[in-house]
Amino acid sequence: MILVNTDFITGKNLKTLALVNGWGMLTFGVNLQKAAQRANSELEIQAQQMNADAIINVRYSFGGGGTNCVLATGTAVKFV
């Protein structure tokens, strides 16, 4: 699965499918990178269920205040 933080993929025409979200908790002993990987995995699972080819506009938010999580959002797209 292709994940990019841009709104295009060079050389590809894209059809927007849906917004996808994923999150990873930052628990004791889990670093930020692993939490982001978990969030990415959730994005990919949702996109695969839609038969998407890629996820564009991937963005990350980091929560605090007792939640300590990484939220990833993006747009699932199909190559046309």
Side-chain angles (χ1 to χ4, degrees):
M1 179 73 55
I2 298 169
L3 281 78
V4 296
N5 64 353
T6 59
D7 61 353
F8 64 92
I9 298 174
T10 303
K12 301 290 184 184
N13 293 320
L14 307 175
K15 175 184 175 186
T16 300
L17 299 177
L19 182 68
V20 289
N21 296 301
W23 62 277
M25 292 297 292
L26 295 170
T27 57
F28 181 75
V30 175
N31 66 27
L32 186 60
Q33 183 177 6
K34 287 186 180 185
Q37 288 171 342
R38 289 179 187 166
N40 284 344
S41 292
E42 288 191 21
L43 290 181
E44 290 178 3
I45 290 168
Q46 291 176 40
Q48 288 169 349
Q49 291 172 344
M50 297 176 214
N51 294 318
D53 296 311
I55 305 169
I56 62 171
N57 290 325
V58 176
R59 301 288 187 259
Y60 299 94
S61 299
F62 305 94
T67 59
N68 295 327
C69 67
V70 175
L71 172 66
T73 61
T75 304
V77 296
K78 187 86 175 149
F79 299 152
V80 293

